[in-house]
Every structure is written in structure tokens, then in C-alpha cells.
Amino acid sequence: QSALTQPPSASGSPGQSVTISCTGTSSDVGGYNYVSWYQLHPGKAPKLMLFEVSKRPSGVPDRFSGSKSGNTASLTVSGLQAEDEADYHCCSYAGSSWVFGGGTKLTVL
Amino acid sequence: EVQLVESGGGLVQPGGSLRLSCAASGFTFSRDWMRWVRQAPGKGLEWVADIKGDGSAKNYVDSVKGRFTISRDNGKNSLYLQMNSLRAEDTAVYYCARGWYWAFDMWGQGTMVTVSS
């Protein structure tokens, strides 16, 4: 049950695109298409942004997209906006358990 | 409106116990898996435990097995986490979340647990 690996930080200017990676193993990310991404703003409840690698819940802008290759999943935010500045955490099902990444702080410059 | 509200956090000495509660509203509580997730200061999220809608299946992260117990009362639309033998490393904000499509779609605001002497 080791944590997934995310870069601690990422940044981009308004309007640009940024991609955040999430690397696991064949027992979690590589073994299931059950990767999800969460946005955390200080003092607020976490928000689900993507589920099952690339599906967006209702209300999440299509600027947010996801993909997976092997043991690495990715979240791409296109057309960066100021309100996208937050912490992003990936998560994967790992067979009767769940494992999260360490989180990536996204800064909009 | 779906809402999850945690309570029961606080300051406890190492070796002590706490019981967290999560009041759910706005959905058919008995139908859904429910989960506890925590975030230690400066750290990432960590899944702690989950329980099936009818309570027939429970899972725990290795670090809390034998110390924490997840339970639910579907008549009261409530989720619980009994935490015993608490350690300093259990210090975190504890969130309850609903399981949905192999993800966690709704979260509470969290309740802080501090284990310190």
C-alpha cells in the first residue's frame, strides 16, 4: 500500500495547459482503470474532478482531462484559470483498498 | 442536496480513543459504500477504511488494522470510525466520503484529530 508518486508542484500561466503525472505499480494504476483525481482548496471539502481515468462528473469543465499509460496516469488542465490553483491528488483502486498520491500543488502564475 | 458532516474530532493522548461520526443526507445512504480518508499535516490523502452499504464488507489500510473499526447505522444515516490505541501518526483531518463509480464523489469538510501528550 505505497503511495502513488506525484510531482510536488506544477505551474502554468493563464490560458496555458499543464499536465500532472501520477505513477503507481501494476497492482494499482497499471492493474485497474479506476484512477480518480481530486481538487483540494484550503478549508473546503475535496472535489472529484475525474473518475475511471478520464470521465468527468457533472459540472466539471471539459478543460480537465485524464489519461493513463501503463503504471502512470495523468491529469491535464487546459486553458488554465486562476480558480484552478489548488492541490490535486490522484487515487487508484488497488484491490480491496485504495491508494492516493502525495498531491501536487498547481500554481497559476 | 447531498451532504456529509463529520464530528467527534479533538485532542487525545497517545493510546487513547475517539469515535468519529459522519451524518449523511440527501441520498439513499444504505445503498452506497462509505469511506474514511485522512490527511496528515503537510501530507497527501490516505484512505483509511470503507464499508459496504449493508455493512457486510469492511476494508482497512494496514496501519490501522486491529485499532480502528468502521461501522454504520443505516437507520440513522450515519457512518462511524472507532479509533483505539491512537498514535501520533494518526494526527490528521479525517474526511468521510461516499463511494461512487470506483471513486469518492462527495466529501465532508473533515474533522481534526490530534494525538499528543
Side-chain angles (χ1 to χ4, degrees):
Chain A
Q1 294 174 328
S2 298
L4 306 177
T5 301
Q6 296 182 235
S9 63
S11 63
S13 299
Q16 289 186 332
S17 294
V18 64
T19 297
I20 299 170
S21 63
C22 170
T23 301
T25 69
S26 58
S27 296
D28 38 64
V29 174
Y32 307 92
N33 287 323
Y34 299 143
V35 176
S36 50
W37 290 87
Y38 302 86
Q39 179 188 66
L40 276 72
H41 282 116
K44 297 182 71 175
K47 179 182 179 181
L48 173 66
M49 304 303 287
L50 296 174
F51 66 101
E52 293 179 14
V53 176
S54 59
K55 298 178 181 178
R56 283 185 306 277
S58 175
V60 173
D62 59 6
R63 302 185 294 103
F64 291 84
S65 61
S67 63
K68 193 188 88 167
S69 177
N71 296 336
T72 298
S74 298
L75 166 71
T76 297
V77 186
S78 305
L80 272 173
Q81 298 183 4
E83 60 262 34
D84 298 333
E85 184 161 297
D87 291 335
Y88 292 85
H89 296 245
C90 62
C91 177
S92 176
Y93 181 65
S96 296
S97 65
W98 300 84
V99 61
F100 282 89
T104 298
K105 181 175 181 56
L106 174 60
T107 301
V108 180
L109 301 171
Chain B
E1 178 191 6
V2 174
Q3 191 170 16
L4 298 170
V5 179
E6 302 94 338
S7 61
L11 174 64
V12 62
Q13 292 189 339
S17 298
L18 272 181
R19 188 195 196 206
L20 304 184
S21 299
C22 172
S25 60
F27 64 102
T28 305
F29 180 74
S30 61
R31 185 179 59 192
D32 294 320
W33 280 83
M34 293 298 296
R35 301 176 174 138
W36 287 100
V37 178
R38 66 186 178 184
Q39 185 174 27
K43 303 288 188 179
L45 296 170
E46 180 183 37
W47 167 79
V48 174
D50 58 18
I51 184 169
K52 194 175 179 180
D54 62 4
S56 63
K58 303 175 185 181
N59 300 292
Y60 300 90
V61 68
D62 286 348
S63 60
V64 309
K65 284 180 181 176
R67 301 188 299 123
F68 290 13
T69 302
I70 190 171
S71 63
R72 64 193 298 159
D73 185 334
N74 288 342
K76 294 182 178 179
N77 285 352
S78 293
L79 175 72
Y80 306 102
L81 186 67
Q82 177 66 44
M83 305 187 295
N84 299 331
S85 303
L86 282 161
R87 306 166 180 167
E89 54 265 36
D90 296 318
T91 294
V93 175
Y94 284 73
Y95 298 98
C96 68
R98 184 177 73 167
W100 179 85
Y101 280 100
W102 302 100
F104 305 58
D105 74 323
M106 295 301 301
W107 298 64
Q109 296 273 10
T111 186
M112 183 70 203
V113 171
T114 303
V115 183
S116 175
S117 55

